[in-house]
Amino acid sequence: MDRRQEIIAAATKSFTLFGYKATTMDQVAKIANVGKGTIYTFFSNKEELFQEIAMTLIREMRIQTSEVITDEANFMDNAHAALMKLLEFREEHLLFAKLIEEEKELRTPIVRQVLIDIESAIIVYIAAYIQKAIDRDEIYPCDTELVSYLLFKGYLAFVVDWSELHDEILPEGRILNLFKDTIFKGLIKA
């Protein structure tokens, strides 16, 4: 692994453990086992390093989500699988969880912006997938950005938020059936 990647890995570890606000370049240098000056040869400040890590998160999400989309599946099954994978990534990736926690508790502006950037990238990714389905004549033409937002936020509400407000986790099949009977039903051509 090269020095730049070692620094990114160390910073990811520090941001995951301590959050953005509490992470210092000294901590990152110590974890990476490099001098602090070495960090500044690659990144001008903590914010730039944090942005690089956020872009890495986005790339990882895209890769993992792309892996669940297959040519054999229909639009609805692929959309469902992709949305579930995105939310699984969001919940299981410790850095993502720490950023969400920090934004809720401390309202750190850069953390808020990074979370907005990640969500925007997710919406753009889903919109591109919807546009492909429109181009293949699988679904009716629609406002891809708004439908992407609706699907993402709807899935987020039922997969993540529901269990916080209720004493149960909704089964995946129940979520799929809800979307199948409502949103997907209005999109998919018969």
Side-chain angles (χ1 to χ4, degrees):
M1 189 183 302
D2 66 20
R3 284 280 187 229
R4 186 174 192 281
Q5 288 305 314
E6 288 173 354
I7 292 165
I8 290 170
T12 300
K13 184 175 183 179
S14 185
F15 290 135
T16 301
L17 291 172
F18 308 112
Y20 175 81
K21 203 169 206 167
T23 290
T24 65
M25 294 301 248
D26 286 326
Q27 287 171 326
V28 173
K30 185 176 179 181
I31 293 169
N33 201 25
V34 299
K36 194 161 84 170
T38 304
I39 296 173
Y40 289 110
T41 62
F42 298 103
F43 303 98
S44 59
N45 54 41
K46 181 170 85 168
E47 184 175 325
E48 185 180 311
L49 178 56
F50 186 57
Q51 291 287 347
E52 175 65 27
I53 291 166
M55 293 302 104
T56 300
L57 269 177
I58 291 169
R59 284 188 296 273
E60 286 177 29
M61 276 193 300
R62 284 184 182 146
I63 290 167
Q64 286 188 20
T65 304
S66 295
E67 290 172 354
V68 300
I69 296 173
T70 66
D71 291 336
E72 297 78 35
N74 63 33
F75 168 78
M76 182 186 66
D77 290 337
N78 274 333
H80 174 75
L83 287 158
M84 292 302 291
K85 180 54 87 174
L86 285 168
L87 293 174
E88 178 186 311
F89 182 91
R90 182 182 184 272
E91 290 300 303
E92 291 180 357
H93 202 285
L94 297 177
L95 175 58
F96 210 144
K98 185 67 171 180
L99 296 178
I100 291 167
E101 176 187 319
E102 181 171 337
E103 201 284 320
K104 282 181 183 177
E105 292 177 7
L106 302 175
R107 303 272 189 232
T108 308
I110 186 160
V111 171
R112 177 165 173 68
Q113 187 57 54
V114 161
L115 290 173
I116 289 169
D117 292 345
I118 291 170
E119 183 175 293
S120 295
I122 291 169
I123 300 303
V124 166
Y125 179 84
I126 297 168
Y129 177 71
I130 290 172
Q131 186 59 55
K132 286 179 187 173
I134 292 169
D135 294 343
R136 287 190 309 264
D137 205 32
E138 284 184 70
I139 65 172
Y140 292 107
C142 61
D143 184 322
T144 59
E145 181 182 7
L146 293 180
V147 172
S148 299
Y149 186 84
L150 174 66
L151 285 171
F152 178 66
K153 289 298 191 170
Y155 267 78
L156 183 65
F158 286 112
V159 173
V160 179
D161 299 341
W162 179 269
S163 63
E164 291 177 8
L165 300 173
H166 301 81
D167 288 333
E168 67 173 320
I169 295 174
L170 288 176
E172 186 176 333
R174 190 168 172 201
I175 294 168
L176 175 59
N177 287 335
L178 172 69
F179 281 87
K180 178 178 156 184
D181 294 339
T182 56
I183 297 169
F184 290 131
K185 190 176 189 178
L187 287 172
I188 297 172
K189 291 186 172 185

PDB file of all heavy atoms in Angstrom, residues 67-96:
ATOM      1  N   GLU A  67     -23.257  -4.664  -8.251  1.00  0.00           N
ATOM      2  CA  GLU A  67     -23.106  -6.116  -8.193  1.00  0.00           C
ATOM      3  C   GLU A  67     -24.428  -6.853  -8.007  1.00  0.00           C
ATOM      4  O   GLU A  67     -24.533  -8.034  -8.331  1.00  0.00           O
ATOM      5  CB  GLU A  67     -22.124  -6.501  -7.081  1.00  0.00           C
ATOM      6  CG  GLU A  67     -20.694  -6.115  -7.404  1.00  0.00           C
ATOM      7  CD  GLU A  67     -19.734  -6.302  -6.238  1.00  0.00           C
ATOM      8  OE1 GLU A  67     -20.188  -6.630  -5.112  1.00  0.00           O
ATOM      9  OE2 GLU A  67     -18.524  -6.101  -6.447  1.00  0.00           O
ATOM     10  N   VAL A  68     -25.472  -6.185  -7.482  1.00  0.00           N
ATOM     11  CA  VAL A  68     -26.754  -6.863  -7.263  1.00  0.00           C
ATOM     12  C   VAL A  68     -27.727  -6.682  -8.422  1.00  0.00           C
ATOM     13  O   VAL A  68     -28.774  -7.316  -8.462  1.00  0.00           O
ATOM     14  CB  VAL A  68     -27.431  -6.422  -5.934  1.00  0.00           C
ATOM     15  CG1 VAL A  68     -26.538  -6.732  -4.748  1.00  0.00           C
ATOM     16  CG2 VAL A  68     -27.839  -4.964  -5.960  1.00  0.00           C
ATOM     17  N   ILE A  69     -27.376  -5.827  -9.375  1.00  0.00           N
ATOM     18  CA  ILE A  69     -28.231  -5.598 -10.542  1.00  0.00           C
ATOM     19  C   ILE A  69     -27.847  -6.595 -11.626  1.00  0.00           C
ATOM     20  O   ILE A  69     -26.671  -6.713 -11.977  1.00  0.00           O
ATOM     21  CB  ILE A  69     -28.090  -4.149 -11.052  1.00  0.00           C
ATOM     22  CG1 ILE A  69     -28.602  -3.180  -9.986  1.00  0.00           C
ATOM     23  CG2 ILE A  69     -28.819  -3.955 -12.372  1.00  0.00           C
ATOM     24  CD1 ILE A  69     -28.367  -1.722 -10.301  1.00  0.00           C
ATOM     25  N   THR A  70     -28.852  -7.325 -12.143  1.00  0.00           N
ATOM     26  CA  THR A  70     -28.580  -8.321 -13.179  1.00  0.00           C
ATOM     27  C   THR A  70     -29.441  -8.055 -14.407  1.00  0.00           C
ATOM     28  O   THR A  70     -30.529  -7.488 -14.304  1.00  0.00           O
ATOM     29  CB  THR A  70     -28.878  -9.753 -12.677  1.00  0.00           C
ATOM     30  OG1 THR A  70     -30.275  -9.881 -12.435  1.00  0.00           O
ATOM     31  CG2 THR A  70     -28.105 -10.073 -11.413  1.00  0.00           C
ATOM     32  N   ASP A  71     -28.945  -8.475 -15.544  1.00  0.00           N
ATOM     33  CA  ASP A  71     -29.696  -8.325 -16.795  1.00  0.00           C
ATOM     34  C   ASP A  71     -30.936  -9.214 -16.819  1.00  0.00           C
ATOM     35  O   ASP A  71     -31.904  -8.904 -17.506  1.00  0.00           O
ATOM     36  CB  ASP A  71     -28.803  -8.656 -18.002  1.00  0.00           C
ATOM     37  CG  ASP A  71     -27.713  -7.612 -18.213  1.00  0.00           C
ATOM     38  OD1 ASP A  71     -27.897  -6.456 -17.771  1.00  0.00           O
ATOM     39  OD2 ASP A  71     -26.679  -7.962 -18.820  1.00  0.00           O
ATOM     40  N   GLU A  72     -30.906 -10.313 -16.083  1.00  0.00           N
ATOM     41  CA  GLU A  72     -32.014 -11.256 -16.082  1.00  0.00           C
ATOM     42  C   GLU A  72     -33.219 -10.747 -15.284  1.00  0.00           C
ATOM     43  O   GLU A  72     -34.342 -11.148 -15.542  1.00  0.00           O
ATOM     44  CB  GLU A  72     -31.580 -12.613 -15.503  1.00  0.00           C
ATOM     45  CG  GLU A  72     -30.505 -13.318 -16.302  1.00  0.00           C
ATOM     46  CD  GLU A  72     -29.108 -12.745 -16.056  1.00  0.00           C
ATOM     47  OE1 GLU A  72     -28.799 -12.321 -14.927  1.00  0.00           O
ATOM     48  OE2 GLU A  72     -28.327 -12.704 -17.019  1.00  0.00           O
ATOM     49  N   ALA A  73     -32.981  -9.890 -14.308  1.00  0.00           N
ATOM     50  CA  ALA A  73     -34.069  -9.417 -13.444  1.00  0.00           C
ATOM     51  C   ALA A  73     -34.809  -8.255 -14.088  1.00  0.00           C
ATOM     52  O   ALA A  73     -34.250  -7.514 -14.894  1.00  0.00           O
ATOM     53  CB  ALA A  73     -33.496  -9.000 -12.088  1.00  0.00           C
ATOM     54  N   ASN A  74     -36.056  -8.087 -13.685  1.00  0.00           N
ATOM     55  CA  ASN A  74     -36.840  -6.954 -14.190  1.00  0.00           C
ATOM     56  C   ASN A  74     -36.505  -5.692 -13.398  1.00  0.00           C
ATOM     57  O   ASN A  74     -35.777  -5.735 -12.400  1.00  0.00           O
ATOM     58  CB  ASN A  74     -38.344  -7.262 -14.149  1.00  0.00           C
ATOM     59  CG  ASN A  74     -38.857  -7.497 -12.736  1.00  0.00           C
ATOM     60  OD1 ASN A  74     -38.383  -6.916 -11.766  1.00  0.00           O
ATOM     61  ND2 ASN A  74     -39.844  -8.362 -12.614  1.00  0.00           N
ATOM     62  N   PHE A  75     -37.048  -4.574 -13.864  1.00  0.00           N
ATOM     63  CA  PHE A  75     -36.767  -3.282 -13.243  1.00  0.00           C
ATOM     64  C   PHE A  75     -37.067  -3.297 -11.749  1.00  0.00           C
ATOM     65  O   PHE A  75     -36.256  -2.868 -10.937  1.00  0.00           O
ATOM     66  CB  PHE A  75     -37.566  -2.166 -13.941  1.00  0.00           C
ATOM     67  CG  PHE A  75     -37.535  -0.871 -13.176  1.00  0.00           C
ATOM     68  CD1 PHE A  75     -36.416  -0.055 -13.241  1.00  0.00           C
ATOM     69  CD2 PHE A  75     -38.599  -0.477 -12.375  1.00  0.00           C
ATOM     70  CE1 PHE A  75     -36.353   1.139 -12.521  1.00  0.00           C
ATOM     71  CE2 PHE A  75     -38.544   0.711 -11.653  1.00  0.00           C
ATOM     72  CZ  PHE A  75     -37.423   1.514 -11.727  1.00  0.00           C
ATOM     73  N   MET A  76     -38.256  -3.777 -11.373  1.00  0.00           N
ATOM     74  CA  MET A  76     -38.666  -3.738  -9.973  1.00  0.00           C
ATOM     75  C   MET A  76     -37.725  -4.559  -9.093  1.00  0.00           C
ATOM     76  O   MET A  76     -37.287  -4.086  -8.042  1.00  0.00           O
ATOM     77  CB  MET A  76     -40.091  -4.259  -9.823  1.00  0.00           C
ATOM     78  CG  MET A  76     -40.590  -4.196  -8.389  1.00  0.00           C
ATOM     79  SD  MET A  76     -42.191  -4.960  -8.191  1.00  0.00           S
ATOM     80  CE  MET A  76     -41.805  -6.660  -8.534  1.00  0.00           C
ATOM     81  N   ASP A  77     -37.392  -5.758  -9.516  1.00  0.00           N
ATOM     82  CA  ASP A  77     -36.513  -6.601  -8.699  1.00  0.00           C
ATOM     83  C   ASP A  77     -35.112  -5.998  -8.579  1.00  0.00           C
ATOM     84  O   ASP A  77     -34.506  -6.031  -7.500  1.00  0.00           O
ATOM     85  CB  ASP A  77     -36.438  -8.012  -9.282  1.00  0.00           C
ATOM     86  CG  ASP A  77     -37.754  -8.769  -9.115  1.00  0.00           C
ATOM     87  OD1 ASP A  77     -38.550  -8.413  -8.220  1.00  0.00           O
ATOM     88  OD2 ASP A  77     -37.988  -9.716  -9.894  1.00  0.00           O
ATOM     89  N   ASN A  78     -34.602  -5.454  -9.677  1.00  0.00           N
ATOM     90  CA  ASN A  78     -33.284  -4.804  -9.628  1.00  0.00           C
ATOM     91  C   ASN A  78     -33.319  -3.548  -8.758  1.00  0.00           C
ATOM     92  O   ASN A  78     -32.394  -3.315  -7.968  1.00  0.00           O
ATOM     93  CB  ASN A  78     -32.798  -4.446 -11.032  1.00  0.00           C
ATOM     94  CG  ASN A  78     -32.077  -5.590 -11.695  1.00  0.00           C
ATOM     95  OD1 ASN A  78     -31.494  -6.444 -11.045  1.00  0.00           O
ATOM     96  ND2 ASN A  78     -32.116  -5.621 -13.018  1.00  0.00           N
ATOM     97  N   ALA A  79     -34.362  -2.742  -8.915  1.00  0.00           N
ATOM     98  CA  ALA A  79     -34.467  -1.514  -8.107  1.00  0.00           C
ATOM     99  C   ALA A  79     -34.540  -1.863  -6.627  1.00  0.00           C
ATOM    100  O   ALA A  79     -33.860  -1.247  -5.794  1.00  0.00           O
ATOM    101  CB  ALA A  79     -35.682  -0.695  -8.545  1.00  0.00           C
ATOM    102  N   HIS A  80     -35.343  -2.849  -6.301  1.00  0.00           N
ATOM    103  CA  HIS A  80     -35.472  -3.278  -4.905  1.00  0.00           C
ATOM    104  C   HIS A  80     -34.123  -3.769  -4.366  1.00  0.00           C
ATOM    105  O   HIS A  80     -33.696  -3.356  -3.282  1.00  0.00           O
ATOM    106  CB  HIS A  80     -36.535  -4.379  -4.785  1.00  0.00           C
ATOM    107  CG  HIS A  80     -36.626  -4.953  -3.418  1.00  0.00           C
ATOM    108  ND1 HIS A  80     -37.225  -4.286  -2.374  1.00  0.00           N
ATOM    109  CD2 HIS A  80     -36.169  -6.133  -2.901  1.00  0.00           C
ATOM    110  CE1 HIS A  80     -37.142  -5.037  -1.275  1.00  0.00           C
ATOM    111  NE2 HIS A  80     -36.503  -6.151  -1.582  1.00  0.00           N
ATOM    112  N   ALA A  81     -33.466  -4.630  -5.119  1.00  0.00           N
ATOM    113  CA  ALA A  81     -32.170  -5.163  -4.677  1.00  0.00           C
ATOM    114  C   ALA A  81     -31.147  -4.047  -4.493  1.00  0.00           C
ATOM    115  O   ALA A  81     -30.396  -4.027  -3.514  1.00  0.00           O
ATOM    116  CB  ALA A  81     -31.656  -6.194  -5.681  1.00  0.00           C
ATOM    117  N   ALA A  82     -31.126  -3.099  -5.428  1.00  0.00           N
ATOM    118  CA  ALA A  82     -30.168  -1.985  -5.343  1.00  0.00           C
ATOM    119  C   ALA A  82     -30.460  -1.094  -4.139  1.00  0.00           C
ATOM    120  O   ALA A  82     -29.539  -0.711  -3.403  1.00  0.00           O
ATOM    121  CB  ALA A  82     -30.208  -1.166  -6.637  1.00  0.00           C
ATOM    122  N   LEU A  83     -31.706  -0.767  -3.927  1.00  0.00           N
ATOM    123  CA  LEU A  83     -32.062   0.087  -2.784  1.00  0.00           C
ATOM    124  C   LEU A  83     -31.759  -0.607  -1.458  1.00  0.00           C
ATOM    125  O   LEU A  83     -31.246   0.018  -0.524  1.00  0.00           O
ATOM    126  CB  LEU A  83     -33.532   0.497  -2.872  1.00  0.00           C
ATOM    127  CG  LEU A  83     -33.816   1.539  -3.951  1.00  0.00           C
ATOM    128  CD1 LEU A  83     -35.279   1.515  -4.356  1.00  0.00           C
ATOM    129  CD2 LEU A  83     -33.394   2.927  -3.488  1.00  0.00           C
ATOM    130  N   MET A  84     -32.045  -1.874  -1.373  1.00  0.00           N
ATOM    131  CA  MET A  84     -31.736  -2.612  -0.139  1.00  0.00           C
ATOM    132  C   MET A  84     -30.222  -2.663   0.088  1.00  0.00           C
ATOM    133  O   MET A  84     -29.758  -2.520   1.213  1.00  0.00           O
ATOM    134  CB  MET A  84     -32.326  -4.031  -0.197  1.00  0.00           C
ATOM    135  CG  MET A  84     -33.857  -4.068  -0.167  1.00  0.00           C
ATOM    136  SD  MET A  84     -34.618  -3.299   1.286  1.00  0.00           S
ATOM    137  CE  MET A  84     -34.154  -4.458   2.574  1.00  0.00           C
ATOM    138  N   LYS A  85     -29.445  -2.841  -0.976  1.00  0.00           N
ATOM    139  CA  LYS A  85     -27.988  -2.883  -0.854  1.00  0.00           C
ATOM    140  C   LYS A  85     -27.445  -1.526  -0.390  1.00  0.00           C
ATOM    141  O   LYS A  85     -26.557  -1.459   0.462  1.00  0.00           O
ATOM    142  CB  LYS A  85     -27.348  -3.306  -2.177  1.00  0.00           C
ATOM    143  CG  LYS A  85     -25.830  -3.382  -2.150  1.00  0.00           C
ATOM    144  CD  LYS A  85     -25.288  -4.253  -1.046  1.00  0.00           C
ATOM    145  CE  LYS A  85     -25.174  -5.688  -1.428  1.00  0.00           C
ATOM    146  NZ  LYS A  85     -24.497  -6.492  -0.380  1.00  0.00           N
ATOM    147  N   LEU A  86     -27.993  -0.440  -0.951  1.00  0.00           N
ATOM    148  CA  LEU A  86     -27.570   0.900  -0.538  1.00  0.00           C
ATOM    149  C   LEU A  86     -27.830   1.111   0.951  1.00  0.00           C
ATOM    150  O   LEU A  86     -26.973   1.640   1.679  1.00  0.00           O
ATOM    151  CB  LEU A  86     -28.311   1.970  -1.341  1.00  0.00           C
ATOM    152  CG  LEU A  86     -27.855   2.174  -2.777  1.00  0.00           C
ATOM    153  CD1 LEU A  86     -28.857   3.034  -3.540  1.00  0.00           C
ATOM    154  CD2 LEU A  86     -26.474   2.812  -2.811  1.00  0.00           C
ATOM    155  N   LEU A  87     -28.984   0.702   1.401  1.00  0.00           N
ATOM    156  CA  LEU A  87     -29.323   0.899   2.811  1.00  0.00           C
ATOM    157  C   LEU A  87     -28.536  -0.042   3.713  1.00  0.00           C
ATOM    158  O   LEU A  87     -28.149   0.332   4.816  1.00  0.00           O
ATOM    159  CB  LEU A  87     -30.827   0.735   3.014  1.00  0.00           C
ATOM    160  CG  LEU A  87     -31.647   1.827   2.332  1.00  0.00           C
ATOM    161  CD1 LEU A  87     -33.131   1.534   2.429  1.00  0.00           C
ATOM    162  CD2 LEU A  87     -31.333   3.206   2.899  1.00  0.00           C
ATOM    163  N   GLU A  88     -28.261  -1.244   3.230  1.00  0.00           N
ATOM    164  CA  GLU A  88     -27.420  -2.171   3.980  1.00  0.00           C
ATOM    165  C   GLU A  88     -26.017  -1.587   4.145  1.00  0.00           C
ATOM    166  O   GLU A  88     -25.433  -1.611   5.230  1.00  0.00           O
ATOM    167  CB  GLU A  88     -27.348  -3.505   3.236  1.00  0.00           C
ATOM    168  CG  GLU A  88     -26.477  -4.548   3.880  1.00  0.00           C
ATOM    169  CD  GLU A  88     -26.352  -5.793   3.000  1.00  0.00           C
ATOM    170  OE1 GLU A  88     -27.384  -6.293   2.528  1.00  0.00           O
ATOM    171  OE2 GLU A  88     -25.212  -6.241   2.782  1.00  0.00           O
ATOM    172  N   PHE A  89     -25.489  -1.034   3.063  1.00  0.00           N
ATOM    173  CA  PHE A  89     -24.172  -0.404   3.109  1.00  0.00           C
ATOM    174  C   PHE A  89     -24.173   0.731   4.130  1.00  0.00           C
ATOM    175  O   PHE A  89     -23.269   0.865   4.943  1.00  0.00           O
ATOM    176  CB  PHE A  89     -23.794   0.135   1.725  1.00  0.00           C
ATOM    177  CG  PHE A  89     -22.423   0.757   1.673  1.00  0.00           C
ATOM    178  CD1 PHE A  89     -21.323  -0.013   1.347  1.00  0.00           C
ATOM    179  CD2 PHE A  89     -22.239   2.103   1.953  1.00  0.00           C
ATOM    180  CE1 PHE A  89     -20.059   0.553   1.297  1.00  0.00           C
ATOM    181  CE2 PHE A  89     -20.984   2.676   1.916  1.00  0.00           C
ATOM    182  CZ  PHE A  89     -19.883   1.892   1.589  1.00  0.00           C
ATOM    183  N   ARG A  90     -25.212   1.548   4.068  1.00  0.00           N
ATOM    184  CA  ARG A  90     -25.350   2.701   4.968  1.00  0.00           C
ATOM    185  C   ARG A  90     -25.354   2.261   6.424  1.00  0.00           C
ATOM    186  O   ARG A  90     -24.743   2.884   7.271  1.00  0.00           O
ATOM    187  CB  ARG A  90     -26.636   3.440   4.619  1.00  0.00           C
ATOM    188  CG  ARG A  90     -26.915   4.675   5.416  1.00  0.00           C
ATOM    189  CD  ARG A  90     -28.268   5.257   4.972  1.00  0.00           C
ATOM    190  NE  ARG A  90     -28.560   6.495   5.616  1.00  0.00           N
ATOM    191  CZ  ARG A  90     -29.185   6.601   6.785  1.00  0.00           C
ATOM    192  NH1 ARG A  90     -29.564   5.513   7.426  1.00  0.00           N
ATOM    193  NH2 ARG A  90     -29.429   7.785   7.311  1.00  0.00           N
ATOM    194  N   GLU A  91     -26.060   1.173   6.718  1.00  0.00           N
ATOM    195  CA  GLU A  91     -26.178   0.705   8.092  1.00  0.00           C
ATOM    196  C   GLU A  91     -24.937  -0.039   8.579  1.00  0.00           C
ATOM    197  O   GLU A  91     -24.588   0.049   9.747  1.00  0.00           O
ATOM    198  CB  GLU A  91     -27.403  -0.201   8.234  1.00  0.00           C
ATOM    199  CG  GLU A  91     -28.711   0.545   8.130  1.00  0.00           C
ATOM    200  CD  GLU A  91     -28.874   1.612   9.193  1.00  0.00           C
ATOM    201  OE1 GLU A  91     -28.797   1.288  10.395  1.00  0.00           O
ATOM    202  OE2 GLU A  91     -29.060   2.784   8.818  1.00  0.00           O
ATOM    203  N   GLU A  92     -24.287  -0.770   7.689  1.00  0.00           N
ATOM    204  CA  GLU A  92     -23.175  -1.617   8.113  1.00  0.00           C
ATOM    205  C   GLU A  92     -21.822  -0.930   8.082  1.00  0.00           C
ATOM    206  O   GLU A  92     -20.903  -1.358   8.763  1.00  0.00           O
ATOM    207  CB  GLU A  92     -23.125  -2.880   7.253  1.00  0.00           C
ATOM    208  CG  GLU A  92     -24.283  -3.799   7.525  1.00  0.00           C
ATOM    209  CD  GLU A  92     -24.257  -5.056   6.688  1.00  0.00           C
ATOM    210  OE1 GLU A  92     -23.349  -5.206   5.838  1.00  0.00           O
ATOM    211  OE2 GLU A  92     -25.146  -5.894   6.874  1.00  0.00           O
ATOM    212  N   HIS A  93     -21.695   0.117   7.296  1.00  0.00           N
ATOM    213  CA  HIS A  93     -20.403   0.797   7.199  1.00  0.00           C
ATOM    214  C   HIS A  93     -20.244   1.690   8.432  1.00  0.00           C
ATOM    215  O   HIS A  93     -20.989   2.638   8.626  1.00  0.00           O
ATOM    216  CB  HIS A  93     -20.329   1.606   5.906  1.00  0.00           C
ATOM    217  CG  HIS A  93     -18.933   1.884   5.489  1.00  0.00           C
ATOM    218  ND1 HIS A  93     -18.152   2.826   6.110  1.00  0.00           N
ATOM    219  CD2 HIS A  93     -18.156   1.326   4.526  1.00  0.00           C
ATOM    220  CE1 HIS A  93     -16.970   2.849   5.545  1.00  0.00           C
ATOM    221  NE2 HIS A  93     -16.938   1.950   4.584  1.00  0.00           N
ATOM    222  N   LEU A  94     -19.282   1.372   9.260  1.00  0.00           N
ATOM    223  CA  LEU A  94     -19.126   2.049  10.542  1.00  0.00           C
ATOM    224  C   LEU A  94     -18.875   3.547  10.406  1.00  0.00           C
ATOM    225  O   LEU A  94     -19.392   4.335  11.202  1.00  0.00           O
ATOM    226  CB  LEU A  94     -17.999   1.399  11.346  1.00  0.00           C
ATOM    227  CG  LEU A  94     -18.231  -0.061  11.730  1.00  0.00           C
ATOM    228  CD1 LEU A  94     -17.015  -0.615  12.458  1.00  0.00           C
ATOM    229  CD2 LEU A  94     -19.477  -0.204  12.577  1.00  0.00           C
ATOM    230  N   LEU A  95     -18.104   3.952   9.404  1.00  0.00           N
ATOM    231  CA  LEU A  95     -17.853   5.382   9.214  1.00  0.00           C
ATOM    232  C   LEU A  95     -19.152   6.104   8.884  1.00  0.00           C
ATOM    233  O   LEU A  95     -19.433   7.175   9.422  1.00  0.00           O
ATOM    234  CB  LEU A  95     -16.816   5.628   8.113  1.00  0.00           C
ATOM    235  CG  LEU A  95     -16.581   7.105   7.757  1.00  0.00           C
ATOM    236  CD1 LEU A  95     -16.126   7.908   8.975  1.00  0.00           C
ATOM    237  CD2 LEU A  95     -15.568   7.222   6.635  1.00  0.00           C
ATOM    238  N   PHE A  96     -19.952   5.529   8.020  1.00  0.00           N
ATOM    239  CA  PHE A  96     -21.226   6.128   7.646  1.00  0.00           C
ATOM    240  C   PHE A  96     -22.091   6.312   8.898  1.00  0.00           C
ATOM    241  O   PHE A  96     -22.672   7.373   9.130  1.00  0.00           O
ATOM    242  CB  PHE A  96     -21.933   5.225   6.630  1.00  0.00           C
ATOM    243  CG  PHE A  96     -22.807   5.960   5.662  1.00  0.00           C
ATOM    244  CD1 PHE A  96     -22.891   5.528   4.353  1.00  0.00           C
ATOM    245  CD2 PHE A  96     -23.562   7.055   6.027  1.00  0.00           C
ATOM    246  CE1 PHE A  96     -23.693   6.165   3.430  1.00  0.00           C
ATOM    247  CE2 PHE A  96     -24.372   7.710   5.124  1.00  0.00           C
ATOM    248  CZ  PHE A  96     -24.447   7.265   3.829  1.00  0.00           C
TER     249      PHE A  96
END
